[in-house]
Amino acid sequence: MIEVKNVTKKFGDFKAVDNISFKVESGEVFAFLGPNGAGKTTTIKMLTTLLRPTEGEIFLDGHNVIADPSATRRSFGIVFQDPSLDNELTAYENMQLHAVLYGVSKKDYLKRIPKLLELVELIDRKDAFVKNFSGGMKRRLEIARGLLHHPKVLFLDEPTIGLDPQTRNHMWNYIHNLNKEEKVTIFFTTHHMEEVERMAQKIAIIDNGKIIEYGTPEHIKKKGGSESLEDAFIALTGKQIRAEEGDMSKNLMRTAAKMMK
Amino acid sequence: MRTIYILWVRQLKRFTRKKASLVGALGQPVIFLFAFGFGLSPIYEKAGGGSYIQFIAPGIIAMTILFTSIFTGVEIIWDKQFGFLKETFVAPVSRIEIFLGKTLGGMTVAVIQGLLVFLITLIAGFRPQSFAMLPLAFGFLLLVAFLFSALGTTIAARLDDMQSFPLIINFIIQPLFYLSGALFPVHGLVKALDIITKINPLTYGVDGMRYALSGSNVFSPVLSASVLVGVSIITVGVGLYQFSKIEL
């Protein structure tokens, strides 16, 4: 379903992703793990056509992601790590806009939107403006929106940040069903190892832009020499705390890249 | 088409929900109309130019369209910062649809503002020369609104934060407006100003509107319309190219 071949992404001299290759099979639940700043989000952005790799090839559902981004976009859905809602619209309007963008028929979205808003417990706030929502509510709305259409591959970039255990549980149940019943391939990142234990069939661990381990959860545990995935992860990636990922480091990288020019 | 429509609706919803910015955007044209319209009127009439209100009203309407359409286009910087642009960019829709949805939304908002200002000029004493020409004036209004909405979107495609906003106001919007013939007639000018006003597309928009509303013009309305259409096509082309280059 997804094939990544020798992909590198440079920001100036900084290699955010360094010659990575891996495969995700159709119908698989795939966990993409790594410490902050390891290159997870950069990789997801390349897989979802938002960034162009400096080198390498990516195929998704048979489409060449770099050469044919628009065909690729028909095959996946994504829940971003950082917010992407329109604050000036209501929760329902955000859902509806997404449904139209993704070509979900009116018949389907009239049924699905209330169901999903119920799932994330926002149904009684459906006509409230998103700008008045708390961080957690926005997060829940993003998840509901990401589940609105049923793509071949669903990317979830740290979807459970800031969610309470109840919502996390609802969400993973829903995703589990989506995977089982509609054979949606799931590609997710997280820092919660119990979510990986519960969901993942395959794991890749990325660190400093390189894939350092790839395989089943059992394989990772064996490599890390531990019964718990958390300990194995720490054994493989070291105990050192990493620089914060996200916009700050991206901006630093971009500033550095601009200065190089 | 559904994509263009829903993005257009979004733009209108955002506009109608911000009552403060609606009123705010009317403030400037009202001040211009009263300060320049009434302030310069005696001199203008003494110089044999006829009624200055008749002359300046189309210019003020064009100004409203210019400001509103560029501002609405530039709003795409907010969409970038708040992440909403990502949501549209990973969706299975073409960048052309996103660009057009955005541009047509901005155009509609600007046209609504332009019509409101037209009503205000009527209160201030402006009288269109003939009602039969109003559809033509409206046509020019649409062309100007489309062009500058597309221009705003195109400029914003290159920018990452609102810190560049003063640059847009001072180096794009203000020169476009003041050097367009909105406030003064564009014939008999010094050479440099003559050239600048003639390469400014807004000049043709103002001239076309003035032809339809007040019956005075420097260029033929066909030329004015052609310039506006031509520059719009180029702007859309550049804008689409910029859109295809955006990485988020």
Side-chain angles (χ1 to χ4, degrees), chain B residues 76 79-80 83-90 98 243 246 248:
Chain B
I76 216 159
D79 288 351
K80 261 189 209 172
F84 181 77
L85 200 62
K86 268 191 313 206
E87 151 80 359
T88 50
F89 271 24
V90 294
I98 300 172
F243 254 53
I246 296 180
L248 294 168

Side-chain angles (χ1 to χ4, degrees), chain A residues 184-218:
Chain A
V184 176
T185 307
I186 309 289
F187 184 110
F188 74 101
T189 74
T190 182
H191 291 306
H192 296 290
M193 292 305 148
E194 75 277 5
E195 294 176 351
V196 183
E197 296 258 24
R198 176 174 165 188
M199 296 293 298
Q201 294 153 2
K202 281 277 174 59
I203 297 171
I205 299 179
I206 183 168
D207 197 10
N208 298 317
K210 292 193 173 86
I211 301 237
I212 54 167
E213 216 43 79
Y214 169 83
T216 60
E218 289 65 40

